[in-house]
Amino acid sequence: MPAVLTPLLAVFGIMLIGTLVQKTKLLPFETDQVLNQYVYYIAFPAIMLITLAQTPISDILHWGYIAGFSVAMLMSYAITLVISLLVSPTKKAVATMRALNATFGNTAFIGMPLMAILFPGNQMALAAAAIASLLSVIIFATALVSLEVINNNQISAVKVVTLALIKNPIVVGSFIGISLSALAITLPDSLALIIHQLGMTSSPCALFAIGMVLAKSGQHQTSKQLINYQQLSDISAVNMIKLFIQPFITYLLMTSLQVEPQLISMGVMLAALPTAASVYLLAQRYQTQVITSAQGILFGTLVTFISLPLLEAFLLG
């Protein structure tokens, strides 16, 4: 079995368990909302903080890699946003969530173990995943600020941006982690372990909640179909950009910037990962594209069972 399938099976398995638990009514009906709040305010900020804090700032500053990965994300975000607004000019929040779904990859829960499996003993592989996670925060923050502006039309954009950055736990956690790395401050082992253990629960809890939401999604359907044509069209277009166009742009940019071949392979593989569960958390928070985001993450993860092994064979021979 290709090594790349191991973390993907874990992602799919956790979502499946969440679905089964919801179907059997083993836990209270609103458990998914409680899990979402826990991940958003505690677990995900913790994993961002500790991952960035424990990555030396010198390992983060690979400018060709950074430029290639971030510009590819921004281009994919812009393409999705523009197309969505052309189709539905008044649905700005929906366009923002589509753009985030098309760019914010699962570089934490899948990317970290994937790099460790594909490049055993290579510290740069873990650094590449950490850099990708750091750069992804920019996209996440961009979408977050956009949603805040859209939902608070009477507040000035500057005030919304300031409040969004100060009050958002994920942004705050990332900022603390980057600051600790830049200042070369090492956290006490006991504190680092606590933060790390909390952070490690972020993706499993979020994925479990997604599985529960998928089980409940039938209640929100206007037809008897599990997924209607509009939703299928939506998630297919978004995943086309996320799983194929973004990694292709990443490859072209990194090649033109003469990034070393191994880093190119790492960057393209990370760019080709399915959408992260944290996108669903934001959708849930703003009640925008909630079901579609959950379905899109599941659909994208299933597609990568085929796309990632093929990409691995192409890049790594």
Side-chain angles (χ1 to χ4, degrees), residues 72-91:
M73 275 198 307
L74 291 171
M75 289 178 66
S76 300
Y77 187 97
I79 290 170
T80 310
L81 189 68
V82 169
I83 293 175
S84 184
L85 288 175
L86 287 174
V87 175
S88 304
T90 61
K91 297 182 178 179

Side-chain angles (χ1 to χ4, degrees), residues 247-269:
F248 180 67
I249 296 174
T250 303
Y251 179 81
L252 292 179
L253 289 174
M254 288 191 179
T255 301
S256 65
L257 292 170
Q258 298 183 336
V259 177
E260 59 182 271
Q262 193 172 61
L263 266 179
I264 292 178
S265 298
M266 295 174 185
V268 173
M269 292 290 290

Side-chain angles (χ1 to χ4, degrees), residues 33-85:
Q33 295 184 19
V34 176
L35 286 174
N36 291 336
Q37 292 177 340
Y38 164 73
V39 173
Y40 185 81
Y41 286 104
I42 299 173
F44 195 70
I47 194 61
M48 293 304 298
L49 190 157
I50 199 64
T51 299
L52 296 172
Q54 293 181 342
T55 302
I57 196 69
S58 59
D59 288 342
I60 295 176
L61 302 179
H62 291 274
W63 297 114
Y65 177 89
I66 290 172
F69 195 92
S70 57
V71 172
M73 275 198 307
L74 291 171
M75 289 178 66
S76 300
Y77 187 97
I79 290 170
T80 310
L81 189 68
V82 169
I83 293 175
S84 184
L85 288 175

Side-chain angles (χ1 to χ4, degrees), residues 277-288:
S278 49
V279 173
Y280 160 75
L281 298 179
L282 200 64
Q284 178 80 12
R285 180 173 175 80
Y286 289 94
Q287 288 299 298
T288 304

Side-chain angles (χ1 to χ4, degrees), residues 143-210:
L144 175 64
V145 171
S146 298
L147 289 169
E148 285 287 341
V149 172
I150 291 169
N151 286 277
N152 295 276
N153 292 323
Q154 297 180 348
I155 303 177
S156 68
V158 174
K159 185 176 181 179
V160 169
V161 170
T162 303
L163 290 175
L165 294 177
I166 292 175
K167 294 171 62 177
N168 182 265
I170 297 172
V171 175
V172 171
S174 301
F175 176 76
I176 295 172
I178 295 169
S179 300
L180 291 173
S181 175
L183 297 173
I185 297 175
T186 302
L187 294 173
D189 291 342
S190 57
L191 178 58
L193 182 60
I194 291 172
I195 297 174
H196 185 266
Q197 291 297 320
L198 283 172
M200 290 300 290
T201 66
S202 61
S203 288
C205 287
L207 292 168
F208 189 90
I210 287 175

